[in-house]
Every structure is written in structure tokens, then in C-alpha cells.
Amino acid sequence: MTANSRCSFAKPPGLETQLREIESLLRQCELRAGDSWYVVERRWYEQWKEFVENGDQNSSSFPGQINNAELFEDLESYHLKERLVENEDFMLVPADAWHKLLGWYGMVDGQPPLERKVVDLPSTLKVEVYPVEIFLCLHSNMENVVSSQFSRADDIQSIQRTICETFSVPQASECRLWMKSSDGSCERLRNVHVSVLDACLSSGMTVIMETRNADGTWPSSRPQIINSVEEQDYQGQPGVCGLVNLGNTCFMNSALQCLSNTPPLTEYFLQSSYLEELNFTNPLGMKGEIAEAYADVIKQMWSGRHHSMVPRVFKTKVGHFASQFLGYQQHDSQELLSFLLDGLHEDLNRVKNKEYIELCDANGRPDQQVAEEAWRNHLRRNDSVIVDTFHGLFKSTLVCPECRKISVTFDPFCYLSVPLPASKERVMEIFFVSLDPYAKPAQHRVVVPKAGKVSDLCAALSEMTGVPPSKMVVADVFNHHFYKIYNIDESLSCILDRDDIFVYELNTPKQREEQLQQEERVLLALYLRERSYCRDLSSGSSSYGTTLFGHPLLLSVPISCCSQEALYNLFLQRLARYVRCPDPSEELEEGEEDNDEEQQQQKSQTNGISDGEEQEELELPHPCCADANSLSESTNSAESHLDANHTEPPLDSDVTKNGSQDQTEPLASSSANASITDTSSSVSVTDTSSSTNVSITDTSSCTDDMNTSRNSNASSEPPAEQPQQSCDTTEEEKEDGQEACSPRLPANEQPDKRNTCRRRRKTLFTIQAVNSNGTTERKRGEGGSAVSFSSQPYVAIDWDPDMKKRFYNENEAEKYVKHSSMEVPQQQNTVQLQECIELFTTVETLEEENPWYCPVCKKHQLATKKLDLWSLPEVLIIHLKRFSYTKFTREKLESIVDFPLRNLDFSGCLLRKNLSNGEPPSRYDLIAVSNHYGGLRDGHYTSYARNKDNGQWYDFDDSKVTYAREDEIVTNAAYVLFYQRQDKIRKPTLPAPNASPALATRPTGDATSSKCNTSELEAVPVETD
């Protein structure tokens, strides 16, 4: 009964009969999805119930016509009030009971019956009191919008019929629907047989209907939300169409371009053959949505009317059905390809109801018989264009190591994942820091075993530098501090190619006798920090933060050199290349040039907060104003006997940009400043009133493990021999601003003069014991010692900004040189594709995580497994396994795989040697390549593909498309190869085009350097998922 229809209701039966019939219907009726129930105002229902229970036909409690006025917001729109509650505001009655009540009592004129459907929500059935209110309009006139209510159980076709009736659109018109959400995003409603609930339509959305134009085109690919990137009159080569990068979607674009240039699959979609085979009921499929989304992409790419298109709808569908592809992170093109082929197969599977089939072992039967049985069983469950085009069959042979049971099965495959021969060696680039303070760090390129240890790295470097491995310590430097200091027996697999590895030469005794006589030494890690002062206006207290800068150092120091005075002089000597000593005229006297407030602040606080305890300020003799006897003997034994003649092994020197022979460059890893504001309370280390002996524990543990990740690269040049700087300076040098070192005072200088210098000088920096990150200062040691080391010792020298500016040469500190090993070009390994296929078919032993259950032994066994090719498909996809993942290593193999563009012959690889007359040949031609440039963490995907119509090769780089020559196709970036069997290849129907400015061929170059991550090729709005 419609909203406004009324009938002359028949005379109602007796009151007892009415009550009995209605209550019987209420008791017997169960909720079933799709059934109709009706909403009745509770007060009318209660009055009717009282009437039939207690009254008579002429009773005053007669309820009259059904009246739901109290349930509506107004009597014009008849919208239900919000938050109505069942059994308090209204009652729900089944359709049969409603029609009886309506026939007996009628309904107030103008009021619509409140019919509601039962919907099958997740885990429950419920009467839908509040249906979905949807706005409807035509694409040709989006200003004219009407609203209509639909149940979540209604299908999309009912909405289409309503739009046609409302806007007088002929039913025979070919049309399609779009749903537009409140945020303006639109999506095609492809399957009109799905329910409103399954289509994710909700109240407030708009459904737009567009009809096909007379010329066969659609008015818009996506209504009012896409900016067309093609010209209106553009007519290009079909299939030569770029794909806009939506943000790290180059992996998807590369895979789509390869599939787009697979002739049998593309022709299948262009001819709309898929429409007859869409499988909306396959539980393993995506309700045909992936197939339709892919069909839209192919039809647009092969229309010849687009320079490039935006595959946003396809990306959304992929993310909807495969959550790993949600968002805009980087992914693998082969992983997407695997999902897409499987999704297309299930959406287009001609088998609607899959039967259970038990796999059978060969049990000694002939291979031909077992293979034919396996293929028939496969087709009983899987029959689609994907199976016709891409599926082949290989033979799997398992042998039990204990009972020698042989199990033979034949399994289908969609692509071959072939391994690449892995090299057993690895090339590492490291920086070597010599013991000579005047020698610049030198970058070396060394070859080490891939499964080697840190000791192997030191041994390889020792051959280049002449420094014994026992005098080396290897460390990972990141953001001006030590990310990790490695033990000599640690595996090199924990060092990544992007890490900045520094190898430090240490001053250790050469002979064992000297080691026995030598006192205990400590490996000291040295950081450089710059202070920044600030004052709290509310409390009046002052504090300072620190910022790491420069490159850290590692020093082997005797225990006796760990006093403040000895460390100060030791550090000055070690930093002599880029820290100059003050001239006597530059010596700052206490109370004269120093700011009194800053002086008091340094006396009364630590790094971070003010300290109430007064501490004495350290007054150290500077090497420029102290005789030789004033320096600690242990200091001299540790670092003072660094030979002035100590130089690097001979290095090749190159001409710099300005023509000089000493080629130097700033270290790359020092570009970033690690800003730290440390406000933790600690004790100042400038107090020298207590003992300077330091308690040091066992120093065998030289590592500080931290698990953070970071990216950094470095490039460099060879060290040339550099003489020590003279301590003598001339007036000309001072006027030119060159660095100079003040001469030491004679050893026979009178003590009173030295004491005067001690009282009046100010140190260039102060020394603090810190943690491994250089952020938190540690408390003083036992017995009043200035510094305490409970594990690996870390020390920071803090510079005032003014002192750093005057005495620290940043340009000199960042320089480094390149060893001759850096100039030797790295050899590129080349392997034949045939080698990879042979490696795929070699015998291997199953891993412990994937054992095989032996039916004879009745237990899981690590059996041997061998794969052999039995039959090959029309289009063969070969995945080159460039990314290697093990428990200990992760790497990308950069080897060049030499694959043929024509006549790839598998006759020697196929197990079935004798082909009958009806069997296809085994020769293939290349039709497409998916390329990956970059490393494990980042990279860029492109593709080469051969157009099926004109036979021309193209380079597809997101939205950019250029001609490609055949000699450009084989590179070390090739990742996924597409081959088509020769008997299925059709001759081009169009002549090959001539190169034009719009599609100029790019010159051949190094594959590794010609590409970069171009995920921002076009600035397009990106939808967030």
C-alpha cells in the first residue's frame, strides 16, 4: 500500500478476534532479512489494546484511525524525530498485522505508512527504524537535487530505478552511478546488484547518475573531482598513456604498465569479454570490483585520448581488499602483481561453486598421467582468463632423508621466482682516522667476506694503511655521536651500507713486555658540544643547553691521564689540526675580559640547572704557557709521543677543483646538528681540589648497543701527507688570519711566572663525563675524582660559542681525503638468465620452519626438494629475486641479469622433452620489464614495454612516457620480466613511429644513477585512506 492510498476498510471482526489475531501474528513472526515491519505510535497502539481488551464496539476508548503524528518532526516532510525508542515512543508490528489494523481502522489522511525493512547487520538482525536518506541528482544538472530514503537492504538497482522515475530518464538508457560522500570524494557504483549496506552508502551521501553520450563516451570519468590532464582534441597511440603518481605509487604504475602491454589480457578487457564472466558470489574474490576497476584503467589507457590518467579509484579498490596497500607507503611491484593476478582470477572465475578435490600423489604412475590429472583438477576449481594466459605447471619432487620415500606432485604456478647467484664478498666504504693528529680522515673502499666479522674489516684495512688490526677500533658514527662501537668478533652483517663507519687508530704498546709494564688503559670516547645559555625570568636562575657538533674521537688513554689537567692537554694535542692555541696576547685574564655574570654562572651550575654548592673553577696550565715538566708523564706516554713524522701510507693525490694537489672534502655525516637541551642535575667536573685518580672498570666491553635507525651517506678523497704546524707565527700570518700555535715557554721558566699564568688563564673548553648519546652528564667518581666511568667511558668537551668561534676551525675539521681504492671502479657482476632458471631447478633442503610430513615415517622431515618445469603458459612472468632476506642480512643484489629480448628457449629446461603435434613451442619474446632503482629502504619503479599495435618499445616513468631503444632494456634494475610465446605474438598492425620532441629517446646511461625516487612527479591531490 502506497503512502497516500486509502481503501474503504471492511467491518472489523469482534474485539476478541482482533486481539487474538494480532497477538498470534506478533508471537509467530520472526525477524527475517528483507521482510517489512511497520512503525506504529505507542499511544495509539496502547489505546487500541485497551479497547479490544475491555471495551465494546461503542466504547469511548475507540482508538480511531492510526495516527503517527507524534513521531514526526513536522507534518510536511514527515521526517521521524531523532532518537525515538522502541516500546516507549513506538511499537513495531509485522506486515500482516499492519495490514489487518490498517484494514480495520484506516489511517489519518496524508500520513505515510512507516514501512521499515529487516536488515542483516554483522552478527544481528534488526528492524531498520531509521533508513538511509540519500540525495539524488543527474550529472547533467547537479543543481536539481532531491532526497529519498532507502533501506540498507535495498539494492543499488532500486536507487537507479528511483532516479529514472524522478527525473524522467528512459529505462533503456545506458547509465552508471557514482556515490559522492560529504567530503566530496566520489566512487563508482559498479555492481547494481549489491545492497545499500554493502555499497557503504550512508545518510548524507549523494548518488549521481550519468548517461552515455551519443558518441559512446561518458560525460566524466569522475564527476567534478578530477582535473583532466589531456587536451580535448588529443588523439595519440592507444596504450601509450602515463599513470600519475599519487604518492609512492610508482610500484603500482610499473605493474599496471606491464599488464597493460600483455596483449591477450588487454584485448580481453577492451572487448568487454569480462562483463559476461564477472563473478560476484565468489567468496575468494572481490565481488568483481577489482576486475571492473582494472577494466576502467585499461579502457582509458587504450582509448588514445589521454597523455596520462589518474588511477585513484583503482588504488582505492586495491587498498580496500588488500590492507597492506592502504596508504601511500612504498611497496613491491611484484607483490602487487601477485595480488592483482589472483584478484582478477577470482573475480573472473568461471567456476561458481568450487568442489573439494583431494590432491593425489603419483605413487609410481607415469608423469604424463599424473600431470594431466593435476591440470584437470586445477581447472575444476580455477578457470579464468588468468589461468588461460599465465598459469603453467611444474613438477615437485620431495625425498625423505630417512626412509627415502619419494613424493611427486604437479602444481600450477602463475609466475617463476628465480634466485640470483649471490656473491660471497662485500664492498664497504669506511673512514680511517689516523693517530697522527694532523692527518685528515681518509675514506677507503675495502672488500670483505659477506659473512665476515669486524676483524676481517680491520685486516683488509690494515693492508692499505700498514696499521696493525690490533691498533684499530671500529665505530658507527651518527649525528655527531657513536651509534655503536663494535667488538672485534661482531658480524659485519649488522653494518648496513648506508652507515657511516669510522675506524680509529689507537696508541697501544707494540710488544707484550711493554704491555705488562704499561699501566691499565681505557678506551675513551670524546664528543664535542657547544653551549647555549638561557635565563629563567621567573626564578632568576640560569641554565644552559648543549648541541653536539663535529666528529667524535676514540682514544686509548692510561688511567693516570684521566685527570682533568692531563685530559685537557691530551685533547688539545689530539685536536691540533683544527683547534689552534691562543697567542699569549689572546690569553684571557680572570676578571678582565670575562663577563662577571657568566663567570659566576659557570661556577655555580652544572649542565642544565643551577647548583647551590659553590665549586672552584678549574685553572689548567695551557701548553702554550707551561713547561714540559708541567705536563703529566703519563700524558706524554699516551699521546705526546705521537710522532711528528707519523704519516699515512702513500695515498694517491688528485687535483682539486682549484688545482691543488691535497684534495680534501668535508665529511658528509657532519651536515646535521644534534641539538640537545640537557637540564639534568649533575656535579661540575671543574673541581680539581680532589684526587684526579679515576676508578676504571674492565674495558673489554667497547660497545653500547642502541636500536635506532637512520640514513646517512658519505663520499670522500685520498689523504696527502701533511706536516705538523709550526708553533712559530709571524705578524704577516696573524694579519692574514691564519691559524698559529703559540710557542711553549722554555723549560727553565721561573715557577712564579708559570704560577701567574696558571692563575690568569681561561680554558678553551670544559670537560664533562656524559652518556653514550652525549646528552646526560654523570656524577663525580669515588674519592672525589672528577670523572667516573662505570662502563664504556664517554667524555664531552663543552665550548662557549665565543671560544669555539675564535679557536675552532670548522672548515678544517670537516675535511677528509680519498684513498686510491676509492678511484677503482666497482665491477658489475653479470649473470645469464639461464643460470637463474637452472638455479631455480636445483635440489634444495627444506628449512626448519617449513618441514614436510612423511607419510611413511609419520613425522615431519627436512626433505630435499626439486622443482622442474613441466608446461609453460602463453605469457610467462619471471620474477628476479633481487631482494635477499635472511635471519642476519638484508640486501638487494645489483647484478646485471642478461636476458634475451627474443628467442628465449625453454626446450632444455622443460621436463617433457617429446612434444606432440598439438603442443605449443617453447620459444618466447620479451614484451615488458618492471624496473626497480634504489635500495632496500627507498627506490623508484619504472617499466619498459612493447606496444602490441606498432611494435615500439616505450619507457613508462609514472606520467612520463618516452621512446626506448632495445639496447636500453637490459639493466641491473630489471626486476620482473614478461615473455610471450612466439606462436601467440601477432604482427604489429601499425608502422613504428618516428621519434618526436614529445617522445624523445633518452640517451643510454648508468641505470643506477639515471633514476631517482620521483614520487612527486605531478602535484595531484592525494586522498587519505
Side-chain angles (χ1 to χ4, degrees):
M1 184 174 293
T2 61
N4 297 318
S5 64
R6 292 293 176 268
C7 63
S8 56
F9 42 89
K11 183 178 179 181
L15 300 184
E16 292 183 2
T17 304
Q18 294 183 35
L19 180 62
R20 184 174 58 255
E21 290 182 1
I22 297 300
E23 288 186 344
S24 175
L25 291 173
L26 290 175
R27 286 194 304 269
Q28 297 175 4
C29 193
E30 297 181 355
L31 293 179
R32 290 190 300 268
D35 285 356
S36 294
W37 286 60
Y38 287 80
V39 177
V40 179
E41 200 267 327
R42 187 187 67 86
R43 287 196 299 178
W44 183 92
Y45 183 82
E46 293 293 340
Q47 188 173 355
W48 167 82
K49 193 173 182 181
E50 180 183 355
F51 170 67
V52 295
E53 288 178 348
N54 303 319
D56 54 38
Q57 295 287 0
N58 299 318
S59 173
S60 60
S61 61
F62 181 72
Q65 293 180 314
I66 301 174
N67 188 356
N68 291 331
E70 294 297 325
L71 302 179
F72 299 118
E73 289 183 349
D74 57 73
L75 297 181
E76 295 180 359
S77 65
Y78 291 107
H79 285 170
L80 281 184
K81 294 179 180 179
E82 296 292 335
R83 292 184 289 274
L84 295 177
V85 180
E86 184 180 1
N87 297 326
E88 292 185 8
D89 301 305
F90 64 89
M91 306 295 294
L92 289 173
V93 296
D96 291 342
W98 165 261
H99 290 306
K100 287 182 178 293
L101 291 174
L102 184 64
W104 296 336
Y105 297 97
M107 194 170 185
V108 175
D109 290 340
Q111 289 189 11
L114 298 178
E115 181 183 6
R116 296 296 183 260
K117 293 290 183 66
V118 178
V119 294
D120 188 2
L121 299 176
S123 71
T124 183
L125 289 171
K126 185 178 181 180
V127 177
E128 184 184 40
V129 176
Y130 291 96
V132 178
E133 184 172 4
I134 300 175
F135 298 98
L136 309 176
C137 68
L138 294 177
H139 177 265
S140 57
N141 185 10
M142 298 183 65
E143 299 296 328
N144 184 15
V145 180
V146 298
S147 65
S148 183
Q149 291 185 344
F150 298 92
S151 169
R152 291 172 178 84
D154 292 338
D155 57 18
I156 303 301
Q157 201 164 27
S158 64
I159 299 179
Q160 182 174 317
R161 287 195 298 267
T162 302
I163 297 178
C164 291
E165 294 173 0
T166 303
F167 296 101
S168 302
V169 177
Q171 292 285 348
S173 299
E174 186 178 358
C175 56
R176 64 180 186 179
L177 302 179
W178 296 82
M179 65 174 181
K180 181 179 180 181
S181 60
S182 57
D183 62 359
S185 61
C186 291
E187 187 176 347
R188 268 282 312 279
L189 294 171
R190 290 179 172 82
N191 187 2
V192 296
H193 301 291
V194 301
S195 66
V196 171
L197 178 64
D198 292 335
C200 302
L201 278 170
S202 58
S203 295
M205 286 187 171
T206 302
V207 174
I208 306 170
M209 187 172 77
E210 58 175 345
T211 56
R212 189 184 292 274
N213 296 328
D215 61 356
T217 61
W218 295 102
S220 173
S221 58
R222 297 185 68 192
Q224 294 191 350
I225 67 165
I226 185 170
N227 296 321
S228 179
V229 295
E230 71 272 7
E231 301 173 2
Q232 295 295 329
D233 56 349
Y234 174 76
Q235 184 64 46
Q237 172 63 42
V240 183
C241 175
L243 296 172
V244 173
N245 194 317
L246 304 175
N248 285 329
T249 57
C250 55
F251 73 96
M252 180 184 74
N253 295 345
S254 176
L256 285 175
Q257 292 289 4
C258 291
L259 286 179
S260 169
N261 287 278
T262 301
L265 185 64
T266 296
E267 291 171 0
Y268 172 84
F269 280 96
L270 291 180
Q271 295 168 4
S272 298
S273 302
Y274 72 97
L275 292 175
E276 300 300 324
E277 297 183 349
L278 284 173
N279 190 334
F280 296 106
T281 61
N282 187 354
L284 300 179
M286 291 81 174
K287 299 184 182 347
E289 294 185 41
I290 286 293
E292 290 195 329
Y294 178 77
D296 275 0
V297 172
I298 294 301
K299 288 188 175 183
Q300 292 182 54
M301 293 177 66
W302 286 85
S303 67
R305 300 189 178 188
H306 307 277
H307 289 102
S308 62
M309 61 154 296
V310 183
R312 193 186 309 277
V313 175
F314 178 79
K315 167 70 171 61
T316 303
K317 288 297 182 184
V318 169
H320 176 70
F321 291 106
S323 59
Q324 67 267 30
F325 297 113
L326 279 173
Y328 298 92
Q329 292 78 31
Q330 298 184 22
H331 293 284
D332 190 305
S333 67
Q334 189 273 332
E335 292 180 359
L336 176 77
L337 186 66
S338 176
F339 162 78
L340 183 55
L341 290 176
D342 184 65
L344 290 175
H345 161 65
E346 297 296 352
D347 272 0
L348 300 170
N349 198 344
R350 303 175 186 115
V351 179
K352 305 303 180 182
N353 298 308
K354 295 186 178 184
E355 56 181 312
Y356 173 75
I357 300 174
E358 186 174 356
L359 298 179
C360 298
D361 195 82
N363 291 326
R365 292 180 295 166
D367 286 349
Q368 182 72 29
Q369 177 183 350
V370 179
E372 291 177 355
E373 179 186 72
W375 187 251
R376 285 195 304 270
N377 290 339
H378 179 59
L379 293 181
R380 287 166 64 185
R381 291 177 54 86
N382 304 279
D383 185 14
S384 69
V385 65
I386 302 301
V387 175
D388 300 340
T389 308
F390 297 101
H391 282 205
L393 202 65
F394 59 67
K395 175 185 176 182
S396 175
T397 305
L398 290 167
V399 180
C400 177
E402 187 171 321
C403 68
R404 311 309 298 174
K405 159 70 177 176
I406 300 177
S407 173
V408 176
T409 57
F410 286 82
D411 303 307
F413 67 87
C414 189
Y415 51 85
L416 296 180
S417 291
V418 298
L420 273 63
S423 172
K424 296 183 179 180
E425 293 184 334
R426 173 186 179 186
V427 177
M428 297 183 65
E429 294 183 3
I430 56 94
F431 291 95
F432 176 71
V433 181
S434 171
L435 194 61
D436 182 1
Y438 293 99
K440 300 181 182 69
Q443 189 181 28
H444 294 254
R445 182 178 290 157
V446 295
V447 180
V448 295
K450 187 171 291 185
K453 297 183 177 181
V454 173
S455 57
D456 297 312
L457 172 61
C458 295
L461 185 60
S462 176
E463 296 179 1
M464 296 183 179
T465 62
V467 177
S470 60
K471 298 183 66 174
M472 296 181 181
V473 174
V474 181
D476 186 351
V477 176
F478 172 66
N479 236 13
H480 312 288
H481 71 277
F482 290 116
Y483 177 77
K484 184 173 183 179
I485 303 175
Y486 293 96
N487 281 324
I488 202 71
D489 58 349
E490 286 196 67
S491 173
L492 290 175
S493 62
C494 60
I495 300 178
L496 305 181
D497 290 336
R498 67 176 181 270
D499 295 342
D500 284 331
I501 302 300
F502 283 70
V503 180
Y504 296 87
E505 180 187 1
L506 301 181
N507 182 30
T508 57
K510 299 180 181 179
Q511 302 297 331
R512 180 171 179 83
E513 293 76 10
E514 295 181 18
Q515 294 180 2
L516 295 175
Q517 297 175 2
Q518 185 77 12
E519 62 178 306
E520 188 177 0
R521 307 177 72 88
V522 62
L523 184 66
L524 190 64
L526 175 64
Y527 296 153
L528 286 74
R529 304 192 303 185
E530 181 179 358
R531 284 175 170 164
S532 57
Y533 294 95
C534 59
R535 179 180 293 277
D536 189 344
L537 298 179
S538 60
S539 63
S541 61
S542 300
S543 62
Y544 67 85
T546 56
T547 302
L548 288 170
F549 70 93
H551 298 282
L553 293 173
L554 285 174
L555 303 87
S556 178
V557 183
I559 292 180
S560 60
C561 290
C562 292
S563 64
Q564 288 285 327
E565 182 175 344
L567 288 178
Y568 182 85
N569 292 302
L570 185 63
F571 295 162
L572 279 178
Q573 293 171 3
R574 195 68 182 89
L575 306 175
R577 181 169 61 89
Y578 42 89
V579 174
R580 73 177 181 88
C581 301
D583 293 336
S585 60
E586 293 180 301
E587 289 288 344
L588 299 178
E589 296 183 359
E590 301 290 348
E592 292 185 5
E593 296 189 25
D594 290 354
N595 181 274
D596 292 339
E597 181 179 350
E598 181 179 319
Q599 181 82 3
Q600 181 63 30
Q601 175 178 299
Q602 293 188 18
K603 286 184 178 182
S604 62
Q605 71 170 19
T606 63
N607 180 24
I609 61 173
S610 300
D611 192 347
E613 298 182 5
E614 297 205 3
Q615 302 167 5
E616 300 178 12
E617 182 172 350
L618 176 64
E619 297 175 349
L620 300 177
H622 198 283
C624 302
C625 56
D627 63 359
N629 294 330
S630 67
L631 296 177
S632 169
E633 292 180 2
S634 59
T635 305
N636 292 329
S637 68
E639 294 288 350
S640 297
H641 80 253
L642 294 174
D643 293 336
N645 297 326
H646 179 82
T647 59
E648 294 288 319
L651 302 173
D652 294 343
S653 59
D654 296 332
V655 179
T656 59
K657 293 181 181 179
N658 57 12
S660 64
Q661 290 292 319
D662 186 13
Q663 183 182 3
T664 59
E665 298 179 8
L667 281 172
S669 63
S670 62
S671 60
N673 288 328
S675 297
I676 302 130
T677 301
D678 193 341
T679 60
S680 61
S681 176
S682 66
V683 181
S684 172
V685 299
T686 59
D687 187 358
T688 59
S689 60
S690 59
S691 170
T692 58
N693 291 331
V694 183
S695 174
I696 300 177
T697 61
D698 180 18
T699 61
S700 61
S701 175
C702 301
T703 62
D704 187 15
D705 294 331
M706 296 173 290
N707 295 317
T708 57
S709 61
R710 71 266 184 249
N711 277 316
S712 54
N713 294 314
S715 55
S716 43
E717 304 204 339
E721 187 172 330
Q722 181 170 341
Q724 282 190 331
Q725 297 178 358
S726 172
C727 290
D728 297 327
T729 57
T730 62
E731 291 298 327
E732 290 80 10
E733 289 174 337
K734 294 178 182 178
E735 292 175 2
D736 294 340
Q738 296 186 2
E739 300 177 7
C741 179
S742 302
R744 298 177 182 271
L745 291 178
N748 58 1
E749 182 75 300
Q750 296 180 7
D752 56 344
K753 294 183 178 180
R754 293 200 305 272
N755 293 337
T756 301
C757 181
R758 178 190 296 268
R759 288 192 305 270
R760 300 175 62 83
R761 70 164 292 279
K762 180 181 179 181
T763 58
L764 298 181
F765 49 77
T766 58
I767 303 172
Q768 301 281 5
V770 295
N771 64 4
S772 59
N773 291 326
T775 57
T776 305
E777 296 173 4
R778 297 182 175 179
K779 299 179 180 180
R780 70 170 69 226
E782 299 177 0
S785 128
V787 186
S788 174
F789 306 102
S790 59
S791 56
Q792 168 64 50
Y794 295 87
V795 168
I797 58 175
D798 291 349
W799 292 76
D800 287 333
D802 179 64
M803 302 295 281
K804 175 175 176 284
K805 183 178 180 181
R806 293 170 59 186
F807 299 104
Y808 183 85
N809 188 336
E810 287 194 56
N811 291 333
E812 182 65 26
E814 298 301 317
K815 290 181 179 179
Y816 71 105
V817 294
K818 283 186 177 181
H819 186 261
S820 57
S821 59
M822 296 296 297
E823 307 303 326
V824 179
Q826 292 182 264
Q827 295 182 349
Q828 191 81 51
N829 294 330
T830 302
V831 297
Q832 300 296 320
L833 178 60
Q834 202 69 25
E835 297 179 47
C836 302
I837 297 174
E838 291 174 0
L839 196 59
F840 172 77
T841 58
T842 56
V843 179
E844 63 177 358
T845 302
L846 297 179
E847 298 179 351
E848 294 182 0
E849 295 81 5
N850 187 29
W852 170 66
Y853 183 79
C854 177
V856 176
C857 299
K858 303 297 182 182
K859 63 179 179 179
H860 289 88
Q861 298 280 14
L862 299 181
T864 59
K865 181 178 182 180
K866 187 179 188 303
L867 295 177
D868 293 290
L869 299 176
W870 181 262
S871 64
L872 297 177
E874 176 183 346
V875 176
L876 177 62
I877 302 175
I878 301 178
H879 167 224
L880 304 177
K881 298 172 68 174
R882 291 195 176 275
F883 299 101
S884 174
Y885 300 97
T886 67
K887 292 181 180 179
F888 308 103
T889 61
R890 298 177 60 193
E891 62 176 336
K892 181 191 175 186
L893 304 177
E894 298 286 355
S895 304
I896 294 179
V897 178
D898 189 6
F899 51 89
L901 272 65
R902 296 178 182 85
N903 297 318
L904 175 60
D905 192 359
F906 280 92
S907 58
C909 303
L910 281 174
L911 195 62
R912 183 173 49 180
K913 301 295 183 182
N914 300 322
L915 300 179
S916 62
N917 294 333
E919 296 294 339
S922 56
R923 289 182 179 270
Y924 288 78
D925 287 351
L926 187 73
I927 57 174
V929 181
S930 176
N931 301 309
H932 178 267
Y933 302 89
L936 288 172
R937 294 177 59 85
D938 48 25
H940 181 59
Y941 286 92
T942 67
S943 57
Y944 292 116
R946 178 180 177 271
N947 187 275
K948 67 182 181 66
D949 293 337
N950 60 17
Q952 173 66 44
W953 281 91
Y954 293 92
D955 181 2
F956 296 93
D957 187 352
D958 287 333
S959 57
K960 178 182 177 183
V961 184
T962 58
Y963 291 122
R965 299 193 307 268
E966 289 189 355
D967 58 1
E968 294 180 308
I969 307 302
V970 179
T971 68
N972 66 338
Y975 183 45
V976 184
L977 311 177
F978 286 69
Y979 280 93
Q980 186 176 12
R981 203 169 58 222
Q982 287 182 344
D983 66 315
K984 294 292 185 179
I985 297 178
R986 299 178 182 176
K987 292 183 179 180
T989 58
L990 299 174
N994 296 322
S996 64
L999 285 171
T1001 305
R1002 185 175 58 250
T1004 304
D1006 182 12
T1008 58
S1009 61
S1010 63
K1011 297 288 182 180
C1012 61
N1013 192 332
T1014 56
S1015 60
E1016 297 83 20
L1017 279 176
E1018 292 199 16
V1020 296
V1022 178
E1023 290 183 29
T1024 57
D1025 294 318

